[in-house]
């Protein structure tokens, strides 16, 4: 009889999976929420079809300005007039302080939008003291 | 004193219930597959808005920057460098490649064309090798 060996083989090491599953669900909820927030700040539009630049560091945009095909300015699903946008841009620069030189707001402009609208947005950012912007493109061709 | 043979310890089996973890893994996989297909990839162009005067006094700064003007003439987009006008972006790119790169490139977009024409001018500047491309917003 080989009773000792059989008993050793039937031994089970109890591993509690509950904490791991909890963490996995927490991660799932986090990614779902952040994906929804990212879509919230980016309006649906046809971006200019350009290859763009090979940026070494994709820093966070901070401010995402959407310029729609009709020329309206949309930030976080809210339509702003130019005066409000200028106030927002000025506050952004004041809040940034010394780091304002590194500000690179992301401007998402519809490819069919008039350049007059883009000029107004960039002029407001320039007057506020923003040194450079990033213009979003859709790589396609 | 060790009585049990060494090989018996090696025969111990650890039984784990993997079904929950596999369920969650498949859920995550399905979620990321769906969101990757739905979300559109974006790139970016990074034009300056202000003139960089940090290196003023160098020989490069003695030269005037090249200026590309984007306008609409007879319903067609026209890119101009000085007196030369181009109706296709390939012609614009070829002309920009021949210009000195040191002083940088200014893109001045008049009211009239679409954003696509302005983005094309910036892209051509980058493709031609200009490190400094500055967007000059025209005040209407």
């Amino acid at each position: 009889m080989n009773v000792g060996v059989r008993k050793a083989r039937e031994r089970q090491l109890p591993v509690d999976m509950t904490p791991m599953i909890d963490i996995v669900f927490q991660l799932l909820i986090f990614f779902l929420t952040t994906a929804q927030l990212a879509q919230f700040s980016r309006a649906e539009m046809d971006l200019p079809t350009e290859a763009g630049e090979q940026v070494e560091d994709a820093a966070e945009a901070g401010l995402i300005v959407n310029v729609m095909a009709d020329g309206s300015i949309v930030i976080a699903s809210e339509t702003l007039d130019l005066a409000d946008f200028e106030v927002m841009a000025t506050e952004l620069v004041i809040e940034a302080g010394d780091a304002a030189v590194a500000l690179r707001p992301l401007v998402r402009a519809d490819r069919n939008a008039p350049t007059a609208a883009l000029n107004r947005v960039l002029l407001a950012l320039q007057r506020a003291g923003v040194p450079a912007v990033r213009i979003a493109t859709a790589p396609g061709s | 004193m060790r009585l049990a043979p060494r090989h018996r310890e090696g025969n111990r089996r650890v039984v784990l219930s993997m079904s929950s973890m596999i369920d969650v893994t498949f859920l995550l996989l399905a979620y990321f597959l769906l969101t990757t297909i739905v979300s559109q990839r974006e790139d970016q162009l990074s034009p300056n808005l202000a003139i960089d005067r940090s290196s003023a006094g160098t020989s490069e700064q003695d030269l005037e920057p090249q200026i590309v003007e984007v306008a609409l003439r007879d319903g067609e987009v026209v890119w101009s460098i000085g007196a030369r006008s181009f109706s296709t972006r390939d012609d614009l790119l070829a002309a920009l490649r021949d210009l000195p790169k040191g002083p940088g490139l200014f893109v001045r977009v008049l009211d009239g064309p679409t954003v696509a024409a302005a983005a094309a001018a910036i892209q051509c500047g980058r493709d031609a090798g200009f490190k400094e491309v500055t967007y000059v917003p025209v005040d209407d």
Side-chain angles (χ1 to χ4, degrees):
Chain A
M1 284 179 71
N2 200 1
V3 177
V5 174
R6 188 172 293 169
K7 277 184 180 175
R9 282 181 181 171
E10 286 172 357
R11 274 182 202 163
Q12 290 189 0
L13 187 67
V15 176
D16 190 6
M17 299 288 285
T18 314
M20 193 174 73
I21 292 168
D22 284 350
I23 288 170
V24 169
F25 273 112
Q26 295 278 2
L27 282 172
L28 181 65
I29 291 165
F30 169 74
F31 284 119
L32 278 169
T33 311
T34 51
Q36 290 297 318
L37 285 174
Q39 285 180 352
F40 183 68
S41 59
R42 290 168 193 260
E44 197 168 329
M45 66 173 72
D46 294 326
L47 294 171
T49 311
E50 300 292 345
E53 298 165 8
Q54 302 300 319
V55 286
E56 290 172 1
D57 55 334
E60 287 296 317
L63 177 66
I64 299 176
V65 187
N66 299 284
V67 180
M68 308 306 287
D70 61 357
S72 58
I73 303 165
V74 176
I75 296 174
S77 301
E78 193 175 334
T79 306
L80 298 179
D81 58 19
L82 190 62
D84 289 341
F85 175 67
E86 284 185 354
V87 171
M88 178 181 276
T90 307
E91 285 175 353
L92 179 78
V93 172
I94 291 169
E95 282 176 15
D98 293 338
V101 290
L103 280 177
R104 299 285 185 276
L106 179 65
V107 179
R108 300 178 74 252
D110 194 292
R111 72 168 76 125
N112 298 311
T115 47
L118 181 65
N119 282 340
R120 280 195 291 272
V121 167
L122 296 184
L123 203 60
L125 290 170
Q126 190 186 43
R127 283 174 181 157
V130 174
V133 293
R134 292 188 281 172
I135 296 175
T137 62
S141 60
Chain B
M1 191 175 173
R2 192 183 182 95
L3 293 175
R6 190 174 290 270
H7 70 273
R8 283 188 182 175
E9 288 181 1
N11 289 338
R12 278 181 191 168
R13 290 168 59 198
V14 178
V15 180
L16 291 174
S17 175
M18 299 292 283
S19 52
S20 305
M21 196 173 71
I22 291 167
D23 284 351
V24 171
T25 305
F26 274 112
L27 275 170
L28 281 169
L29 182 66
Y31 166 72
F32 283 114
L33 277 172
L34 285 171
T35 51
T36 305
I37 292 164
V38 169
S39 61
Q40 190 185 19
R41 200 169 77 86
E42 288 184 9
D43 276 331
Q44 60 199 29
L45 294 162
S46 308
N48 296 329
L49 284 178
I51 302 167
D52 182 14
R53 298 179 190 279
S54 58
S55 56
T58 62
S59 58
E60 287 182 349
Q61 295 299 313
D62 295 337
L63 299 169
E64 288 293 319
Q66 310 297 334
I67 300 173
V68 174
E69 198 168 79
V70 189
L72 202 65
R73 289 184 200 156
D74 301 326
E76 297 291 326
V77 175
V78 176
W79 295 275
S80 304
I81 305 171
R84 294 185 296 166
S85 296
F86 310 96
S87 56
T88 65
R89 59 180 295 160
D90 290 340
D91 293 341
L92 173 67
L93 182 59
L96 287 172
R97 282 199 171 122
D98 294 336
L99 296 175
K101 308 297 184 294
L105 180 72
F106 279 17
V107 176
R108 188 169 179 269
V109 187
L110 304 180
D111 293 349
T114 59
V115 167
I122 300 168
Q123 183 72 58
C124 285
R126 291 292 191 198
D127 292 346
F130 284 93
K131 287 181 181 173
E132 293 293 328
V133 178
T134 304
Y135 189 101
V136 183
V138 176
D139 192 0
D140 55 358

